[in-house]
Amino acid sequence: FLKTSRLDIFRERWLMVVDTGCVDRHFVKNLYYCAILCRYINFASIKMVRFSCALVSVFVAASASVSAFAPSSFSSTRQTLALRMSIDTGAKEPVKVGVIGCGRIGIVHLGAINKAPGVRPIVVSNPTISKAENAAKTFGVPKFTSDAMEVIEDPEVDAVWICSPSQFHADQIKACAANGKHVFCEKPIATDLAETVEAINACNEAGVKLMIGLQRRFDPNFLRVKKAIEDKEVGDPIIIKTCSRDPSPPPYEYVKGGGGIFNDMAVHDLDMTRFLAGEDPMEILAVGSCHIDKSIEDLPGSEAFDTATCIVRYPGGVNAMVDVCRQSSYGYDQRAEVLGSKGMIATDNVYPNTAKIYRNDFTGNADMPFDFFLSRYFEAYVTETEAFCESLVNDSEVPCTGVDGLIALVMSLAADKSAAEHRWVKFSEIIEQVYCASPTECSLLVDSDVFPDGFKPVKTLSEMGTIVVPDVDSQKKEGSFMGKIKDMVGMKD
């Protein structure tokens, strides 16, 4: 029933499957389902190469007598072999990972990866190769390089941690997807909204996992607040408050070109309000000013702000308030508070120790809170790394998805727009500007009266699925593809 050229393609995929050693009696049965399905589908309207690849991938997953996480496409036969459980020992092969970037964040993640069960770092990279070499020696990593692409294209690597500067994130994510590698990426995915969607879709189409590093979601203090909300310990949320105040302002060179206070600082707090609310936000009002470092006042837009405040409206009348400032005289100030219908829960800052001083002129902590973000959130960075390692080893859901990173960016862009235009801004005003000719070809339609054919703007965050392809974990939750095939042709086991 297939044309000769298509039959050749299908035969090629069959040989790839045989090479994996995963074929058993169930595979023959599934091929029978394929033959029946082909009678119900107009192949003229489908790109046969992609369809056959997808079918073979599904059949192998359904037919394998052993299980381990693997990409859902056959772009790399090696990955299926590397991650397949050993038939002789019953033990999983370790997940082999590479780390791009050996700066402060990269070293924290590398240290956590090195201790996580079932995961083994095998290569690191950094443009300054001496840093990569030092990291490799410190953590016993066998290979190091100055070229990030050598990590991404390494045939032994199953997953990549991207800890490079923000401007490289999107291209490196896309390259990982093209090479069938699972991805952990520090935020942001990209500073451009369209490129962010492209990078997410590249991973989702390739069937690889993508986790975004929004580390505050893994902080034990904020997690306890989240638990209190979920368990109704304080009733239904009414008001959510967060604050972020840095010990001292960053240098002028850091602020210049950094995207402004909402994108490089408040984005964490905006995401935390969504995390705690458990809902997608509707609109935002933001204001900003300069009080600390007057030298930045000549910078454009919100780069000229060192202080800002946001109000975010959520469904059910819940309001969230965020305040950020680039300087606090008393240390790193990171707190959250939720007022509920039955009570309130609030976090304190984190201190180096619990010692307190009691005198006639002072009572309080002996030392000030941590004054560096890596000290304050070290445990959170380690926990988020361990969470992604667990997702890889057990093929479980990623706890912080590409869409979470995308919505955080949407919230920060809306805050920036609100502060510039002095008004409430609906989040739909930001996302409806995105037009995707294909999942990995997106652009922004800003102030344009001419829209492409077929353009349908996204009106709410809940409609994000019209521009974002479902990720690999969501696809699994939607049900077995083989089950849908059987339902379609009216067959039962």
Side-chain angles (χ1 to χ4, degrees):
F1 51 84
L2 297 174
K3 292 182 179 179
T4 302
S5 60
R6 291 171 177 168
L7 187 58
D8 289 339
I9 294 170
F10 199 81
R11 183 182 297 111
E12 179 184 345
R13 301 302 172 193
W14 163 261
L15 292 175
M16 290 174 65
V17 172
V18 172
D19 287 341
T20 68
C22 292
V23 179
D24 66 3
R25 61 186 180 82
H26 296 293
F27 189 81
V28 177
K29 179 180 177 182
N30 289 334
L31 282 179
Y32 174 65
Y33 292 142
C34 176
I36 295 176
L37 176 64
C38 291
R39 296 178 61 185
Y40 284 80
I41 298 178
N42 177 12
F43 280 96
S45 63
I46 299 176
K47 292 181 180 178
M48 186 57 200
V49 175
R50 292 180 61 188
F51 184 72
S52 63
C53 289
L55 283 176
V56 172
S57 300
V58 172
F59 295 154
V60 170
S63 305
S65 57
V66 293
S67 65
F69 81 89
S72 63
S73 73
F74 260 81
S75 59
S76 173
T77 307
R78 177 215 41 89
Q79 286 205 350
T80 303
L81 290 168
L83 299 178
R84 193 178 64 216
M85 186 182 293
S86 169
I87 297 175
D88 296 329
T89 64
K92 289 181 181 178
E93 291 289 333
V95 179
K96 298 174 183 177
V97 306
V99 176
I100 297 173
C102 295
R104 295 176 304 191
I105 295 297
I107 293 299
V108 171
H109 285 298
L110 184 56
I113 293 167
N114 214 32
K115 296 177 182 178
V119 179
R120 182 158 62 91
I122 64 168
V123 60
V124 296
S125 75
N126 198 83
T128 304
I129 197 166
S130 59
K131 287 188 174 182
E133 183 178 11
N134 290 337
K137 288 180 179 178
T138 300
F139 296 101
V141 181
K143 295 183 285 187
F144 62 90
T145 176
S146 62
D147 187 354
M149 285 306 298
E150 289 187 18
V151 176
I152 295 171
E153 295 176 346
D154 190 314
E156 290 190 276
V157 168
D158 303 309
V160 176
W161 261 251
I162 297 176
C163 306
S164 55
S166 300
Q167 64 266 32
F168 302 116
H169 287 183
D171 286 341
Q172 289 173 349
I173 290 173
K174 293 174 185 177
C176 286
N179 284 272
K181 316 294 188 184
H182 302 288
V183 185
F184 176 97
C185 184
E186 276 295 330
K187 72 88 186 167
I189 299 171
T191 55
D192 175 81
L193 194 58
E195 194 171 26
T196 299
V197 174
E198 289 177 349
I200 294 171
N201 282 340
C203 288
N204 296 350
E205 282 209 315
V208 298
K209 294 177 182 288
L210 171 63
M211 178 167 166
I212 303 306
L214 292 165
Q215 90 283 353
R216 294 189 192 184
R217 290 176 173 233
F218 299 88
D219 176 74
N221 300 284
F222 296 142
L223 282 173
R224 184 62 184 88
V225 176
K226 176 71 171 176
K227 184 177 185 299
I229 296 171
E230 291 177 338
D231 294 347
K232 301 290 185 181
E233 292 182 72
V234 294
D236 296 322
I238 299 172
I239 296 174
I240 299 170
K241 291 183 179 179
T242 72
C243 74
S244 287
R245 299 160 190 167
D246 288 347
S248 59
Y252 180 91
E253 292 74 20
Y254 173 89
V255 178
K256 184 179 180 180
I261 195 168
F262 300 109
N263 289 317
D264 77 357
M265 187 175 180
V267 61
H268 285 288
D269 293 84
L270 294 169
D271 174 70
M272 181 51 57
T273 67
R274 177 173 173 258
F275 178 65
L276 295 177
E279 299 269 8
D280 285 331
M282 301 183 297
E283 57 183 347
I284 189 169
L285 179 65
V287 294
S289 53
C290 183
H291 299 272
I292 310 300
D293 183 5
K294 295 296 184 179
S295 69
I296 67 172
E297 285 186 307
D298 64 336
L299 295 176
S302 61
E303 290 183 9
F305 302 152
D306 57 29
T307 307
T309 305
C310 307
I311 302 175
V312 185
R313 284 179 178 163
Y314 283 91
V318 176
N319 287 328
M321 285 169 271
V322 169
D323 79 72
V324 294
C325 184
R326 294 202 186 272
Q327 178 173 289
S328 125
S329 60
Y330 50 88
Y332 202 33
D333 192 359
Q334 302 279 297
R335 290 173 288 131
E337 173 188 303
V338 175
L339 174 66
S341 56
K342 295 181 180 179
M344 183 193 78
I345 183 168
T347 67
D348 195 358
N349 285 312
V350 179
Y351 294 79
N353 54 68
T354 60
K356 295 183 182 294
I357 293 177
Y358 299 87
R359 297 198 312 255
N360 60 358
D361 61 344
F362 173 80
T363 298
N365 291 86
D367 296 298
M368 288 197 292
F370 282 118
D371 61 358
F372 186 48
F373 76 98
L374 273 181
S375 302
R376 167 64 180 82
Y377 285 111
F378 180 82
E379 184 177 354
Y381 280 111
V382 171
T383 303
E384 72 174 356
T385 298
E386 292 174 342
F388 189 51
C389 289
E390 181 180 349
S391 174
L392 294 175
V393 172
N394 298 323
D395 194 17
S396 54
E397 289 185 42
V398 170
C400 190
T401 67
V403 169
D404 290 324
L406 173 60
I407 293 178
L409 176 60
V410 169
M411 294 180 75
S412 67
L413 293 174
D416 202 285
K417 184 178 181 68
S418 173
E421 299 180 5
H422 310 290
R423 65 178 181 88
W424 285 92
V425 172
K426 295 183 182 298
F427 294 108
S428 59
E429 295 181 44
I430 305 300
I431 57 175
E432 69 183 5
Q433 298 173 0
V434 180
Y435 167 69
C436 294
S438 74
T440 55
E441 296 177 299
C442 300
S443 58
L444 291 178
L445 307 176
V446 182
D447 301 324
S448 175
D449 295 326
V450 180
F451 297 100
D453 292 339
F455 173 63
K456 293 181 180 180
V458 177
K459 292 298 185 183
T460 66
L461 292 179
S462 62
E463 295 178 12
M464 198 75 79
T466 60
I467 59 173
V468 177
V469 176
D471 63 36
V472 62
D473 295 323
S474 298
Q475 292 172 30
K476 283 186 246 176
K477 288 172 66 176
E478 289 174 0
S480 163
F481 187 55
M482 279 311 308
K484 294 179 180 180
I485 292 175
K486 294 176 187 179
D487 291 340
M488 181 186 300
V489 298
M491 296 194 68
K492 299 183 182 297
D493 291 326

